[in-house]
Amino acid sequence: MRLILLGPPGAGKGTQAVVLSNNFKIPHISTGDILREAVKKGSKLGLKAKLYMDKGELVPDEVVVAIVVNRLKEEDTKNGFILDGFPRTEVQARKLDESLYKSGINIDMVVYFETSDEVSIARLSGRRVCKECGANYHVKNMPPKKDGFCDKCGGALYQRDDDKEATIKNRLAIYKSQTASLVDYYKRKNLLQTLSGDLDVDEVFAELQTIFSKKKFS
Ligand code: AP5
């Protein structure tokens, strides 16, 4: 299964990608996670990416495309992958198409998480992330068992710098101006499936199961 999860910040793409990746035993490739890891390491890429991420802006296309094209050459993607947060511009989508075409493979499906601004804002402003393993929580919707600490590894939870209100609003504006047109891009390619990202986590997962049950994957 070669899947793209598309939708605004806070739509729940990452949350579902983790579950799907475990169920289908295919890698979850999140450009946001890869970039945050580079920032954490203080690498040249990380230092460059941080300048954009802190403001909620997109990291330049050529940087992100190179990351994904290289990642998709790795052995673990042979049986499929889940792209989360990529592509985010039409340039990225076209470059991905070119790269997959050269490798003789296709995207099977793009799932669009249609989500209201109110829900995105409420989710992102309440999100907490584990410093150690990157697991996501939400202060109200998905609270950890012990306040401030990860259920999985006991690491401390923190709020992402770009989950502050002003930056969230900028991320949503950038989504609308630079990413939202990908819905039509993939509709034209007959790859798009839409679900409501406003639903609860379990309801979204059930919707995904229904969508997948109607499709034969390569
Ligand atoms: P990235 O990390 O990709 O951020 P994003 O797309 O803004 O996505 P989020 O992680 O914020 O949202 P999500 O939909 O995954 O929601 P999640 O499941 O976490 O990118 C960060 C930055 O990196 C970008 O701003 C940019 O600078 C750069 N970047 C990344 N990719 C790039 C690219 N391709 N090109 C250029 N730049 C790029 O859930 C959010 C919260 O809601 C969590 O707390 C969760 O617990 C909760 N939640 C999830 N689902 C539900 C539900 N159904 N009901 C209730 N609560 C829920």
Side-chain angles (χ1 to χ4, degrees):
M1 178 197 281
R2 298 182 188 96
L3 196 64
I4 292 175
L5 304 186
L6 178 66
K13 308 177 298 291
T15 300
Q16 298 296 335
V18 169
V19 182
L20 295 175
S21 165
N22 285 331
N23 283 7
F24 292 104
K25 310 271 180 281
I26 50 175
H28 165 205
I29 302 174
S30 154
T31 40
D33 286 351
I34 295 171
L35 292 167
R36 272 185 295 281
E37 195 51 40
V39 171
K40 203 165 141 191
K41 283 187 185 143
S43 65
K44 207 172 147 196
L45 164 68
L47 293 176
K48 182 169 183 184
K50 191 173 177 353
L51 299 173
Y52 299 91
M53 294 172 81
D54 282 351
K55 289 184 270 183
E57 287 168 9
L58 296 185
V59 173
D61 287 332
E62 66 275 14
V63 174
V64 191
V65 167
I67 290 174
V68 175
V69 167
N70 284 327
R71 179 67 184 85
L72 292 179
K73 285 182 186 149
E74 288 179 32
E75 190 62 22
D76 65 341
T77 63
K78 244 175 78 183
N79 294 323
F81 51 79
I82 304 165
L83 287 175
D84 161 19
F86 181 93
R88 249 173 159 102
T89 63
E90 289 207 19
V91 171
Q92 292 180 17
R94 280 199 301 276
K95 295 280 179 198
L96 175 67
D97 287 346
E98 284 169 21
S99 168
L100 294 177
Y101 180 76
K102 280 185 202 152
S103 314
I105 54 176
N106 293 311
I107 292 295
D108 294 305
M109 186 187 285
V110 178
V111 182
Y112 168 44
F113 289 52
E114 191 172 30
T115 311
S116 64
D117 285 0
E118 296 70 37
V119 166
S120 287
I121 292 167
R123 286 191 190 154
L124 294 178
S125 51
R127 170 163 57 190
R128 298 294 180 269
V129 183
C130 175
K131 260 197 176 117
E132 304 303 325
C133 72
N136 269 257
Y137 296 87
H138 188 277
V139 288
K140 283 195 193 129
N141 305 337
M142 292 170 63
K145 291 191 186 100
K146 186 176 169 204
D147 197 24
F149 294 93
C150 179
D151 293 348
K152 291 174 186 145
C153 73
L157 303 185
Y158 76 103
Q159 184 173 32
R160 268 170 50 175
D161 284 341
D162 61 350
D163 279 348
K164 308 280 159 62
E165 200 174 328
T167 318
I168 293 172
K169 288 196 171 140
N170 197 31
R171 284 161 67 196
L172 285 171
I174 285 177
Y175 170 79
K176 282 172 195 160
S177 63
Q178 300 196 47
T179 310
S181 64
L182 291 181
V183 170
D184 283 333
Y185 180 90
Y186 286 115
K187 213 183 262 174
R188 286 195 298 272
K189 289 181 177 284
N190 213 14
L191 287 174
L192 198 82
Q193 296 284 342
T194 302
L195 56 74
S196 169
D198 284 355
L199 299 171
D200 288 348
V201 175
D202 293 346
E203 291 172 321
V204 174
F205 186 68
E207 285 280 306
L208 284 168
Q209 297 305 310
T210 306
I211 290 171
F212 295 157
S213 68
K214 293 178 188 157
K215 160 103 189 158
K216 247 185 136 202
F217 289 98
S218 49

